[in-house]
Amino acid sequence: ETHGITFRIQISVKELLDTDVLLKLLFHLPVNYPSTLPDISVNSDQLTRAQCMDVKDKLLEQAKKHLSEPMVHDLILWIQQHLKYVIKQSATVCKEKTTLSKGTSTEDGIWMLFLHLDHMRAKTKYVKTVEKWASDLRLTGRLMFMGKIILILLQGDRSNIKEYLILQKTSKVDVDSSGKKCKEKMISVLCETKVQSQHKRFQTFEVKEYSTLDELQKEFETAGLTTLFSEFVPPLLK
């Protein structure tokens, strides 16, 4: 397979803050793994989103030490032994960051992802899943419906955008014609680019339905995304 393989592992880490922590790890191994680092996604109901991101960063740091050799098993053993220290360190870093002036932050990491979905059979569940992912990953934007056209426009930190894309492609978000849960196979990445100065930043993530193409076009124009609309949306109507 040209995309490599993806698999999930759940591990329970004992005696952390007097509670068991269930870590849900997702590894995407590219075709040239282990010469190339895996993509890693970390989720846990017991940890904050920021703590999950810190765990992911530490795992990637460790992965670099094992480049060109199988590493997933070593990474799992490492995080079982070191999770306690990663979380303590995360809390310290978090306090330090809050003391920094907001003016020192830059927009370097803000990216935009534009997706087209072919259909949603289990629409209510699918929409809730997309809303949860956007919230967990601190992404803003729109899930847009216009006739049979379904579009997702996201803005946020580039690493979170990439993580969203992994979730979108590897999770069972819909049902097939027989009603069985299935992964999203009919998805097109129309555009993935850095947010430019002329683009308006979305403040929230919203699900919106449009009755006409003009209504949809105005949404893009308001966001300074006229070029994005004209390049990618009209061809979808053909």
Side-chain angles (χ1 to χ4, degrees):
E1 191 184 346
T2 55
H3 300 297
I5 61 168
T6 301
F7 58 92
R8 297 173 182 275
I9 295 175
Q10 291 195 155
I11 57 170
S12 181
V13 183
K14 304 282 185 184
E15 298 174 10
L16 175 67
L17 307 175
D18 300 322
T19 185
D20 290 355
V21 173
L22 184 66
L23 280 183
K24 301 169 188 175
L25 306 173
L26 186 145
F27 292 90
H28 172 71
L29 308 184
V31 284
N32 45 358
Y33 166 86
S35 300
T36 302
L37 292 178
D39 282 323
I40 303 172
S41 174
V42 179
N43 281 288
S44 174
D45 293 336
Q46 288 84 31
L47 303 179
T48 65
R49 189 69 224 158
Q51 287 172 328
C52 287
M53 291 299 287
D54 284 332
V55 171
K56 172 186 168 180
D57 290 343
K58 291 296 183 187
L59 281 170
L60 285 172
E61 278 180 27
Q62 289 300 311
K64 288 174 185 173
K65 298 177 183 177
H66 295 279
L67 200 57
S68 297
E69 60 187 59
M71 64 186 78
V72 173
H73 184 248
D74 289 323
L75 294 179
I76 292 167
L77 291 178
W78 186 88
I79 199 60
Q80 284 178 312
Q81 294 165 4
H82 294 86
L83 182 64
K84 195 171 189 174
Y85 308 105
V86 174
I87 300 308
K88 282 184 179 178
Q89 197 175 8
S90 175
T92 308
V93 171
C94 189
K95 286 175 185 174
E96 288 174 1
K97 281 184 180 175
T98 56
T99 63
L100 293 173
S101 163
K102 286 184 180 177
T104 59
S105 68
T106 66
E107 295 293 299
D108 288 350
I110 304 304
W111 279 64
M112 179 166 61
L113 179 67
F114 191 30
L115 304 172
H116 172 239
L117 300 181
D118 186 72
H119 62 270
M120 284 184 182
R121 284 197 175 93
K123 184 176 176 181
T124 303
K125 177 182 176 293
Y126 204 133
V127 168
K128 283 184 178 177
T129 301
V130 171
E131 286 180 311
K132 184 179 187 308
W133 288 342
S135 173
D136 287 349
L137 294 166
R138 300 190 294 277
L139 300 175
T140 60
R142 300 284 186 269
L143 169 53
M144 301 174 275
F145 295 91
M146 201 282 298
K148 291 186 177 180
I149 292 177
I150 307 168
L151 301 168
I152 301 177
L153 183 61
L154 298 168
Q155 293 177 346
D157 183 84
R158 190 177 189 187
S159 63
N160 288 0
I161 289 275
K162 285 185 175 294
E163 189 162 346
Y164 176 91
L165 204 48
I166 292 172
L167 288 169
Q168 178 77 63
K169 289 179 177 179
T170 60
S171 303
K172 291 187 177 180
V173 287
D174 207 1
V175 296
D176 60 20
S177 55
S178 63
K180 286 184 179 178
K181 289 181 180 180
C182 66
K183 295 176 184 177
E184 179 57 75
K185 294 176 182 175
M186 305 285 284
I187 185 171
S188 303
V189 179
L190 301 177
C191 181
E192 186 178 354
T193 184
K194 191 174 178 182
V195 170
Q196 304 299 319
S197 56
Q198 71 268 27
H199 300 154
K200 178 188 168 189
R201 289 289 309 280
F202 291 109
Q203 298 304 308
T204 58
F205 181 81
E206 296 178 34
V207 180
K208 301 184 80 169
E209 303 220 10
Y210 308 85
S211 53
T212 66
L213 190 63
D214 284 344
E215 279 183 23
L216 183 61
Q217 187 170 352
K218 281 175 186 172
E219 181 79 71
F220 280 80
E221 288 173 353
T222 304
L225 297 169
T226 306
T227 306
L228 191 76
F229 175 88
S230 57
E231 186 176 347
F232 295 106
V233 180
L236 297 174
L237 297 168
K238 293 174 183 175

